[in-house]
Amino acid sequence: MDLLRHLRHFVVVAHELHFGRAAELLGMAQPPLSQSIQRLERELTVELFDRSRRQVRLTTAGELLLGEAEELLAGAGRLRHLMRQVRAGELGVLRAGVPPETPAVTLRALLDGLTTRAPGLDVELHELTTAEQARMLGERTLDVGLVHHPVTADGLRFGTPVDVPLGVLLPRASPLARGRTVALASLADLDLVTAPRATAPGWHDHLLTVCRQQGWRPARVRPARNPEFLFGLVLAGGAVAVEPATVARREPRIAWLPVAGASLVRRTSAAWPVRSAHPAASMFGQLAAEVLADAEPVAAAPAPVPAARPWPVLFDTTG
């Protein structure tokens, strides 16, 4: 027996005290409505309406049931609304990862956007490398992440990618900083400062491949986990870094120059598990793409490929 459906029929009849008008309001014929009320009465073993006179009236049982039925139906409506919000990713907890180097303004824009789109969502934001995010997404201890490509982990779906232009970071006092661009081949005697390979193996290997293709084999690859340490190594001389322009803006003694003859970019997108994905994962991915695209000029990115294939992109866009 569909108790809620029969109670809805009862409430309308109780307010109208007329089966014909109630049936019209419910969009049904009168006989099925009468049968519905009769079935409810049999289920509750009481008479809800006094039909002995020409006018329909509530019995004592009907009067007592009306308030309870309205409260129960209202509660059922609230429950359905609550579950719709959960399915839409507007409620609950979202465990999200972002790279450690994410600028504060980007984090603020991302969190503000999530608050606007899903004010009831509790976001647990974690500072994690791409490798850590890929592992935790696979273990289902993270719901969604913001990763640097290429990522070859299985079972992940990727959101809209954003390509952020890269350039060379070097001391402003360096003779190389006097030009408008820097050829990677001109850096032959210098070290490369970049994040440790373990943080994003795919991106690390790809960057070194592009450097070799452009005629630069760094004397050494020196790992730096945070911008301050990276700045210190670059300012000490003998080393440069390949990073977005936003990184250089944190240190006035550092210059950022685009790469001569190449359009070098770093591709970033949201990632989440293909199976049992959090309802808010795709929303996070779309918002992250919008925030990253607004952060600085970006190169146009093609649509994401199916998660079953590796990310088939050469980020050196000169071809």
Side-chain angles (χ1 to χ4, degrees), residues 183-209:
L184 293 183
S186 68
L187 307 175
D189 297 328
L190 299 176
D191 297 342
L192 171 65
V193 182
T194 189
R197 184 180 185 277
T199 62
W203 165 248
H204 186 276
D205 295 346
H206 169 74
L207 176 60
L208 292 182
T209 298

Side-chain angles (χ1 to χ4, degrees), residues 134 137-138 140 152-158 271-276 307-308:
L137 288 168
R140 300 297 193 271
T152 56
D154 295 330
L156 295 183
R157 178 172 296 155
F158 299 104
W272 61 90
V274 173
R275 296 183 178 179
S276 304

Side-chain angles (χ1 to χ4, degrees), residues 188-233:
D189 297 328
L190 299 176
D191 297 342
L192 171 65
V193 182
T194 189
R197 184 180 185 277
T199 62
W203 165 248
H204 186 276
D205 295 346
H206 169 74
L207 176 60
L208 292 182
T209 298
V210 171
C211 289
R212 288 194 295 269
Q213 290 174 343
Q214 296 293 321
W216 176 33
R217 291 182 177 271
R220 287 187 299 170
V221 179
R222 307 177 68 175
R225 290 184 176 274
N226 64 74
E228 293 303 319
F229 189 63
L230 181 148
F231 293 151
L233 293 178

Side-chain angles (χ1 to χ4, degrees), residues 142-160:
L142 194 70
D143 298 313
V144 65
L146 203 54
V147 299
H148 299 318
H149 292 275
V151 179
T152 56
D154 295 330
L156 295 183
R157 178 172 296 155
F158 299 104
T160 304

Side-chain angles (χ1 to χ4, degrees), residues 123 206 296:
V123 181
H206 169 74
E296 57 184 300

